[in-house]
Amino acid sequence: MEYSLQEYYSAIDDNIKTVRDNIAESAIKAGRDPADVRLMAVTKTVDINRINHALAQGIDLIGENRVQELLEKNDGFVPSDVEKHLIGHLQSNKVAKILPFVSLIESADSVGICAEISKRAAAIGKTQDVLIELNIAGEESKTGLQPEMLDDLLAEVSRMSNIRVRGIMGVPPICEDEITVRRYFSKLHQIFVDKSSQKTDNIRMEILSMGMSGDYAWAVAEGATEVRVGSAIFGIRRY
Ligand SMILES: *Cc1c(COP(=O)(O)O)cnc(C)c1O
């Protein structure tokens, strides 16, 4: 069935409300303040008019996976200064292109990419905020740093001049049962809490980005401070 644009827009409105309600309910049940959980709208494959409709409904943070796609859309956002995060895998040769346009790179996952980010940020007089993406289930098919490598990476980053670690991002395996998925979220939260005590000048654990359309309520229950929701807001993606 094809939807008219108007139907599509009103579905977006309903979806945003539902997601916000679910976040609040899950937070309150866990004894958390719903205001401590930020909602990101993941906008990959979504056209600019639909994104701007969501922004008009109070969405103030968007996430894109691909550098090229973000650059193509970047002139069209209303408001133009909406906060943008890169959430997809970042290759070294794209770092310089994306740095001027994102406030946070959530997918830093190696010493090499952190070094490149710091170097390119220095060249434009910026200090780039990043999250370290952890491959929490040790899945071979996925990007992300192995958790046991995190201490070494943070030690290296603490010596870099133009990068700042603000927290952790993770994507547990999909299509698993609640208990298993929550165990991964809980592991991510534990690492986040452990590292929060070791503050250095450029490492400060403030953001725990976890939870997507299928599991964001569980992520909130396990301590997420940001959830990344795409299809539950915009509908099934068409590539
Ligand atoms: C696509 C994507 C999301 C959102 O996925 P949905 O299941 O549509 O909510 C969140 N995080 C990352 C890293 C993604 O690539």
Side-chain angles (χ1 to χ4, degrees):
M1 194 184 117
E2 288 298 318
Y3 293 97
S4 73
L5 201 55
Q6 219 38 59
E7 284 170 324
Y8 194 97
Y9 282 162
S10 94
I12 291 176
D13 300 351
D14 293 346
N15 291 346
I16 291 173
K17 184 175 182 316
T18 302
V19 170
R20 287 199 189 287
D21 287 349
N22 290 343
I23 290 171
E25 186 185 308
S26 184
I28 288 164
K29 243 165 86 182
R32 303 185 59 205
D33 182 348
D36 292 340
V37 184
R38 195 153 182 217
L39 172 60
M40 166 194 283
V42 175
T43 52
K44 62 185 176 216
T45 76
V46 179
D47 71 56
I48 193 73
N49 294 324
R50 291 165 199 213
I51 296 171
N52 284 339
H53 183 80
L55 298 183
Q57 303 304 307
I59 293 289
D60 62 0
L61 171 62
I62 64 168
E64 282 279 349
N65 285 62
R66 293 173 52 238
V67 169
Q68 192 56 38
E69 190 173 340
L70 179 53
L71 295 181
E72 279 163 17
K73 290 174 184 171
N74 195 61
D75 286 342
F77 296 122
V78 180
S80 59
D81 63 349
V82 59
E83 190 173 339
K84 285 152 267 177
H85 294 182
L86 186 75
I87 60 173
H89 186 64
L90 178 59
Q91 293 166 313
S92 288
N93 62 357
K94 303 267 176 69
V95 170
K97 270 189 197 157
I98 199 65
L99 283 188
F101 303 104
V102 287
S103 59
L104 187 67
I105 295 170
E106 301 203 4
S107 45
D109 64 355
S110 69
V111 172
I113 200 76
C114 288
E116 182 68 12
I117 289 169
S118 183
K119 181 177 130 192
R120 297 293 185 169
I124 60 168
K126 183 180 186 187
T127 297
Q128 179 63 53
D129 285 340
V130 305
L131 305 183
I132 305 303
E133 181 184 354
L134 293 181
N135 186 342
I136 195 65
E139 293 171 282
E140 276 180 22
S141 60
K142 272 204 192 134
T143 55
L145 183 77
Q146 299 304 321
E148 58 273 19
M149 306 296 288
L150 181 58
D151 284 336
D152 287 351
L153 179 138
L154 293 178
E156 296 279 348
V157 167
S158 69
R159 292 191 282 271
M160 297 175 189
S161 60
N162 287 65
I163 184 170
R164 187 161 51 197
V165 174
R166 301 276 314 278
I168 284 172
M169 188 267 257
V171 185
I174 43 168
C175 295
E176 297 212 41
D177 60 294
E178 174 170 356
I179 291 172
T180 309
V181 172
R182 285 185 65 151
R183 199 173 291 143
Y184 287 122
F185 286 145
S186 168
K187 268 171 86 174
L188 284 164
H189 181 251
Q190 193 55 53
I191 294 168
F192 176 72
V193 170
D194 285 350
K195 302 304 168 212
S196 300
S197 57
Q198 347 174 324
K199 279 185 199 131
T200 68
D201 281 353
N202 68 339
I203 298 170
R204 203 157 291 237
M205 294 288 165
E206 298 161 328
I207 302 170
L208 178 57
S209 170
M210 59 183 193
M212 310 180 8
S213 289
D215 54 21
Y216 65 89
W218 301 336
V220 169
E222 297 294 344
T225 72
E226 181 194 304
V227 293
R228 307 179 309 272
V229 179
S231 45
I233 292 175
F234 296 108
I236 304 290
R237 278 185 289 279
R238 294 186 198 171
Y239 288 92

